């Protein structure tokens, strides 16, 4: 989870989030190199006392500063497109979970199992017991780790956004439309998210809480819930 002093990405809990962090670092290095080059050229021109009176045009330099940005954009665009298509992959799915946004809570339905559906409300401050304020919920989304999970996301009233930063997932929940995303959590733990679309007065109070557990514990949870 993010803390007050965290200026970077949250620690990744999925291969997709790892790729997003790698792409961010890759793009940031390119931008830093461009910034240093531009500042060097600006300072060298500022302190240069010599001029070329006979310079009317520079076709070579114009050719360079036309082609070079295109090459740089290719180095940024290709990893970006690869990441975009990785985000939409839906292969070898184990289970499907449906999340429905309301003002201001989430309804969760396990589509592959009968009678497993519940509402997920934020725990109020006066009921907190060693929990995180504005992040903990009364009913968590339980999923097995090391498996591909599909989330179907929609809403009943206004536009919400189902977002869990540590697994690299952010999907709009639109009324009358069913959006889908898949993710793969590669380690056990509890991961927090929130609605990322301003959806009304209590927009800040509809968190998302995912608990990743082993397959054995997941089966036990399914059996106990049923």
């Amino acid at each position: 989870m993010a803390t007050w002093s965290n200026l970077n990405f949250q620690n990744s809990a999925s291969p997709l989030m790892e790729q997003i962090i790698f792409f961010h670092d890759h793009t940031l290095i390119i931008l830093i190199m461009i910034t240093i080059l531009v500042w060097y050229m600006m300072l060298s021109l500022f302190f240069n006392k010599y001029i070329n009176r006979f310079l009317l045009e520079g076709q070579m330099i114009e050719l360079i500063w036309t082609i070079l940005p295109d090459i740089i954009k290719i180095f940024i665009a290709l990893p970006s497109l690869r990441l975009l298509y990785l985000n939409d992959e839906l292969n070898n799915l184990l289970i499907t979970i449906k999340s429905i946004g309301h003002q201001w809570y989430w309804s969760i339905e396990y589509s592959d199992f009968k009678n497993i559906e519940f509402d997920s409300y934020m725990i109020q401050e006066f009921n907190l017991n060693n929990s995180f304020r504005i992040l903990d919920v009364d009913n968590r989304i339980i999923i097995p780790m090391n498996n591909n999970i599909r989330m179907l996301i929609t809403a009943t009233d206004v536009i919400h956004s189902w977002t869990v930063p540590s697994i690299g997932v952010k999907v709009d929940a639109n009324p009358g439309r069913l959006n889908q995303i898949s993710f793969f959590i590669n380690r056990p733990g509890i991961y927090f998210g929130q609605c990322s679309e301003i959806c009304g007065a209590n927009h800040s109070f509809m968190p998302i809480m995912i608990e990743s557990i082993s397959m054995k514990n997941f089966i036990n949870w399914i059996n106990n819930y049923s």
Side-chain angles (χ1 to χ4, degrees):
M1 62 173 288
T3 59
W4 67 272
S5 60
N6 188 8
L7 300 179
N8 298 317
F9 289 104
Q10 296 182 26
N11 293 331
S12 65
S14 69
L16 177 62
M17 189 59 192
E18 289 180 7
Q19 293 297 318
I20 291 174
I21 294 174
F22 291 155
F23 174 68
H24 168 266
D25 297 341
H26 166 77
T27 308
L28 194 61
I29 290 172
I30 294 176
L31 293 177
I32 290 173
M33 292 172 59
I34 294 173
T35 303
I36 292 173
L37 177 62
V38 170
W39 273 101
Y40 169 76
M41 295 178 66
M42 289 174 60
L43 291 175
S44 64
L45 289 173
F46 184 76
F47 291 106
N48 186 11
K49 297 180 181 179
Y50 301 101
I51 60 172
N52 188 343
R53 294 184 302 154
F54 304 103
L55 181 63
L56 299 179
E57 61 180 17
Q59 294 183 354
M60 181 56 67
I61 190 65
E62 289 182 1
L63 183 66
I64 291 173
W65 71 40
T66 301
I67 295 177
L68 188 59
D70 293 333
I71 296 174
I72 294 172
K73 285 188 287 184
I74 290 173
F75 276 99
I76 295 175
L78 291 180
S80 176
L81 291 173
R82 174 179 170 272
L83 192 58
L84 183 65
Y85 282 101
L86 279 176
N87 196 24
D88 288 335
E89 266 193 21
L90 296 170
N91 293 325
N92 301 321
L93 299 171
L94 180 71
I95 60 173
T96 298
I97 304 172
K98 187 176 181 181
S99 181
I100 306 170
H102 306 269
Q103 290 182 313
W104 289 272
Y105 64 95
W106 297 96
S107 294
I108 309 300
E109 300 176 4
Y110 285 73
S111 304
D112 300 320
F113 306 96
K114 291 183 178 180
N115 303 323
I116 301 184
E117 54 184 66
F118 50 82
D119 295 332
S120 181
Y121 287 90
M122 184 190 75
I123 297 178
Q124 301 297 324
E125 288 190 44
F126 51 81
N127 289 327
L128 287 177
N129 183 19
N130 296 324
S131 302
F132 294 104
R133 176 178 172 270
I134 316 183
L135 286 176
D136 221 325
V137 299
D138 54 0
N139 291 306
R140 304 173 180 178
I141 301 174
I142 308 296
I143 62 169
M145 65 178 183
N146 294 327
N147 287 282
N148 286 318
I149 310 297
R150 178 171 67 169
M151 290 294 303
L152 300 176
I153 298 158
T154 186
T156 59
D157 34 46
V158 297
I159 299 176
H160 302 275
S161 185
W162 199 87
T163 306
V164 183
S166 58
I167 60 176
V169 173
K170 184 178 187 295
V171 185
D172 286 339
N174 298 311
R177 180 182 175 88
L178 202 61
N179 293 327
Q180 70 175 350
I181 192 73
S182 69
F183 56 86
F184 181 100
I185 296 182
N186 52 20
R187 56 191 173 95
I190 297 174
Y191 308 101
F192 297 96
Q194 290 176 309
C195 175
S196 297
E197 188 75 32
I198 298 176
C199 57
N202 291 330
H203 154 69
S204 302
F205 307 115
M206 50 181 305
I208 302 160
M209 193 173 183
I210 295 178
E211 184 175 355
S212 174
I213 58 178
S214 66
M215 177 59 75
K216 179 181 178 181
N217 292 336
F218 177 75
I219 293 173
N220 291 335
W221 178 79
I222 291 292
N223 293 330
N224 293 333
Y225 196 96
S226 302

